[in-house]
Amino acid sequence: MSTLRDLAEEHTALRPADIDHLHRIAGDWQLLSDLSFADLLLWVPVDGDGTFLCVAQVRPTTAPTAYLDDQVGRIVGGAEVAHLEVAHRQGRIWREGDPVWYGDVPARHEAIPVRLRTGDGEAGEVIAVVGRDTNLSTARTPSQLELNYLTTADDLAQMIADGTFPPPRHPGETTSAPRVGDGLVRLDANGKVTYASPNAQSAYRRLGYASHLVGEDLAKLHRRLAGDPLEGTDAGNAVLAALRGEAPPRREIDARGATMLTRALPLMPAGVPIGALVLVRDITEVRRRDRALITKDATIREIHHRVKNNLQTVAALLRLQARRVAMPEARVALEESVRRVASIALVHETLSLSSDEAVEFDGIVDRVASAATEVAATEVSVGMRRRGTFGILPAEIATSLVMVLNELLLNAVEHGFPPADEEAAAPADAPRPEAEVTAPRPEVVVTAHRARKQLHVTVTDNGRGLPEQFDAERGGNLGLQIVRALVTGELRGTIELRNGADGGTEAAIVVPLARGTTDRLTGRAGPP
């Protein structure tokens, strides 16, 4: 299904600013739908030929829908859109006419013109029409709650026609909460409560206010209830700002172990401030879970920090032991163990700074590559380079993969390039291929890319290549045995060691990634 923007750009001449305003309405109109007990359909005129296109639709959560089928993308004209034409041409809310039938469902039509205010604050031209269609099959005598809902809905509908609703959204805010059903409080122009829904009354009771809200000055009440004076001042000032016609950011109130989220909206039909609408939601359990998650995250980070410290201690002990060992072979083995432990410590160090059990792996690879050139037991100066990006990897993959790359990089540096004494030992009159005479600087390149939920990694050098009798499955030193065990076991992947097409050695690794891992790597849902 095409998006609102796609449909508007394809079928209309609306400007980008107009489409942005329609997006803001569609992002905030669930409130109006719930207050109206009605479906809302956003209609835009098509090429001035009397037809209208539905670009968005929302159903109420407080009443049955008038439409079983989705209306987005539907183009209609003629008598079916006469009410939309009147609202669009005359710029007024249309409420006349008899009920219409959609199959077996009787419905009442209304049409609300949509204006985008100009830069100087004046009401602009009508750019679209909101159809408000109410299912009448369950019509009954409205209760006090329903009457207050409908009255508030009419005020907001007039504000859409004036171009003053929805208000600008504050950075970082979403439209998920609070909603009409969570709790609604209506204020008069003086800030006194004229109506509070049962859920709103219950939310304030959790904060310690047991009396009826009607007649209370809500700004003063917020200041009294909040345990934190600054928090109470902010919540109270938000109510006062809405009464002045502003749209303040949402505020939370904490009292007696409970937390309530509030959203204050000005009511200004026809530009006249008549009060405010305050939506409230008890989010005590949500905040309790948030605090528990924060505590858990902090604990996990502290564990990673301690693991890193312990690994560094182990590396230091092995390093001390290596210095005291007389046998060169034993000293080399201990130094290799030091490097392996240090590479794992890098992952835990990164995890200790992260709020998730995942790490940005590119920085780790760069540090491991730099360390490999510094500690490798070779006289040859080898350059390191990375192409592509690993992105964010979960800890269970990163820990094994960093050891694999550490071994491959050290192996490439130490065994891929002949030492200077071997080159000097060659007969002076021995023929030298032109490629050898003009050989580039020794270099190891790590390449990474993702494809089809797999991470493809290659470690390539431009050295002398694999020995002629090298057995890729069984040959190699301890480091290569560790690499094969980790890739095929822990990472459930594959590895292939081969000579490069242009010389040198190439190690190609393929690691499968779960769906959630791939999504974190690409930053979007679905396949990369």
Side-chain angles (χ1 to χ4, degrees):
M1 176 61 67
S2 299
T3 64
L4 186 158
R5 185 175 300 275
D6 294 336
L7 290 170
E9 290 178 347
E10 180 181 354
H11 296 280
T12 74
L14 291 175
R15 302 164 299 176
D18 298 333
I19 299 176
D20 289 341
H21 184 62
L22 298 184
H23 266 291
R24 286 193 293 272
I25 289 177
D28 223 350
W29 67 350
Q30 184 69 58
L31 169 65
L32 177 59
S33 177
D34 291 342
L35 289 171
S36 303
F37 306 100
D39 292 76
L40 300 183
L41 285 74
L42 186 57
W43 298 94
V44 293
V46 179
D47 300 329
D49 60 358
T51 60
F52 285 81
L53 165 69
C54 180
V55 295
Q57 177 183 1
V58 64
R59 293 180 173 88
T61 62
T62 53
T65 180
Y67 299 96
L68 296 179
D69 298 325
D70 191 65
Q71 302 296 303
V72 176
R74 184 174 174 229
I75 298 178
V76 294
E80 190 174 353
V81 296
H83 61 301
L84 303 178
E85 181 65 30
V86 171
H88 183 262
R89 186 178 64 255
Q90 300 181 11
R92 67 177 179 87
I93 297 178
W94 184 93
R95 293 192 174 97
E96 303 87 42
D98 297 325
V100 296
W101 290 82
Y102 296 108
D104 297 331
V105 179
R108 181 177 63 246
H109 271 331
E110 295 180 65
I112 306 165
V114 176
R115 283 188 175 88
L116 173 62
R117 299 187 77 82
T118 62
D120 56 6
E122 297 296 327
E125 61 182 4
V126 178
I127 60 174
V129 179
V130 172
R132 182 163 60 167
D133 301 334
T134 307
N135 186 333
L136 299 178
S137 60
T138 59
R140 63 184 187 279
T141 302
S143 64
Q144 183 184 11
L145 179 145
E146 292 167 332
L147 288 173
N148 278 277
Y149 276 19
L150 292 171
T151 301
T152 305
D154 289 341
D155 293 334
L156 294 180
Q158 184 59 54
M159 291 173 66
I160 288 180
D162 298 336
T164 58
F165 184 86
R169 187 174 302 168
H170 296 273
E173 284 193 344
T174 64
T175 58
S176 58
R179 293 189 174 186
V180 170
D182 298 323
L184 177 145
V185 180
R186 176 154 181 150
L187 309 180
D188 62 18
N190 296 317
K192 298 294 182 65
V193 177
T194 60
Y195 176 76
S197 69
N199 284 345
Q201 190 73 55
S202 297
Y204 279 92
R205 189 171 290 113
R206 290 287 304 274
L207 296 178
Y209 185 77
S211 302
H212 290 292
L213 286 168
V214 175
E216 281 289 333
D217 186 316
L218 197 64
K220 293 180 179 178
L221 178 61
H222 284 181
R223 294 190 179 109
R224 293 201 310 267
L225 289 177
D228 185 341
L230 179 61
E231 182 182 273
T233 300
D234 289 342
N237 289 343
V239 174
L240 297 177
L243 293 172
R244 294 192 300 266
E246 303 171 13
R250 301 170 193 186
R251 300 295 185 187
E252 292 183 8
I253 301 176
D254 290 296
R256 299 182 61 179
T259 305
M260 184 175 72
L261 176 64
T262 68
R263 182 190 184 192
L265 295 170
L267 294 177
M268 300 178 59
V272 179
I274 63 171
L277 175 68
V278 180
L279 299 173
V280 300
R281 181 184 179 187
D282 182 1
I283 58 171
T284 303
E285 290 304 311
V286 174
R287 289 294 172 261
R288 183 188 64 80
R289 289 195 295 269
D290 287 346
R291 287 191 290 269
L293 287 174
I294 291 173
T295 302
K296 179 182 177 181
D297 289 342
T299 302
I300 292 174
R301 287 197 298 271
E302 178 62 22
I303 290 173
H304 284 300
H305 180 72
R306 295 189 181 189
V307 170
K308 182 263 297 184
N309 288 343
N310 290 339
L311 289 172
Q312 289 179 338
T313 301
V314 171
L317 292 174
L318 291 174
R319 194 176 295 111
L320 287 173
Q321 186 67 39
R323 292 172 184 171
R324 297 174 181 271
V325 172
M327 296 178 60
E329 296 84 356
R331 184 182 301 110
V332 170
L334 288 172
E335 289 174 349
E336 288 179 351
S337 297
V338 168
R339 291 194 291 268
R340 289 164 184 149
V341 172
S343 67
I344 301 175
L346 275 179
V347 176
H348 286 282
E349 180 182 5
T350 306
L351 288 169
S352 69
L353 303 175
S354 172
S355 60
D356 192 9
E357 279 294 285
V359 295
E360 180 63 51
F361 201 69
D362 292 341
I364 294 177
V365 173
D366 294 342
R367 292 174 65 180
V368 169
S370 177
T373 59
E374 293 175 359
V375 304
T378 179
E379 299 176 358
V380 180
S381 177
V382 181
M384 288 284 182
R385 186 157 55 93
R386 173 174 56 83
R387 291 191 308 202
T389 178
F390 289 83
I392 300 175
L393 292 178
E396 61 269 19
I397 292 179
T399 302
S400 298
L401 187 58
V402 72
M403 285 194 65
V404 169
L405 292 176
N406 179 66
E407 297 295 336
L408 291 175
L409 290 171
L410 282 171
N411 196 69
V413 172
E414 293 182 347
H415 304 291
F417 305 95
D421 55 351
E422 286 188 16
E423 293 183 350
D429 58 349
R432 293 176 178 268
E434 181 66 21
E436 183 178 337
V437 175
T438 60
R441 176 175 179 264
E443 185 180 53
V444 179
V445 180
V446 181
T447 306
H449 73 277
R450 301 181 298 273
R452 297 185 179 181
K453 300 183 179 64
Q454 292 178 329
L455 177 63
H456 295 255
V457 182
T458 58
V459 179
T460 308
D461 65 63
N462 57 356
R464 56 187 170 185
L466 296 171
E468 292 185 3
Q469 304 301 322
F470 181 80
D471 186 343
E473 294 298 325
R474 299 180 181 178
N477 55 21
L478 175 62
L480 290 180
Q481 294 176 18
I482 292 174
V483 166
R484 281 193 289 267
L486 288 174
V487 171
T488 59
E490 295 295 326
L491 297 175
R492 301 185 302 279
T494 61
I495 181 171
E496 181 183 359
L497 294 174
R498 60 194 178 223
N499 285 314
D502 299 324
T505 306
E506 182 176 273
I509 302 170
V510 179
V511 178
L513 299 169
R515 176 177 294 273
T517 303
T518 304
D519 293 346
R520 285 202 301 272
L521 285 167
T522 60
R524 64 180 184 270

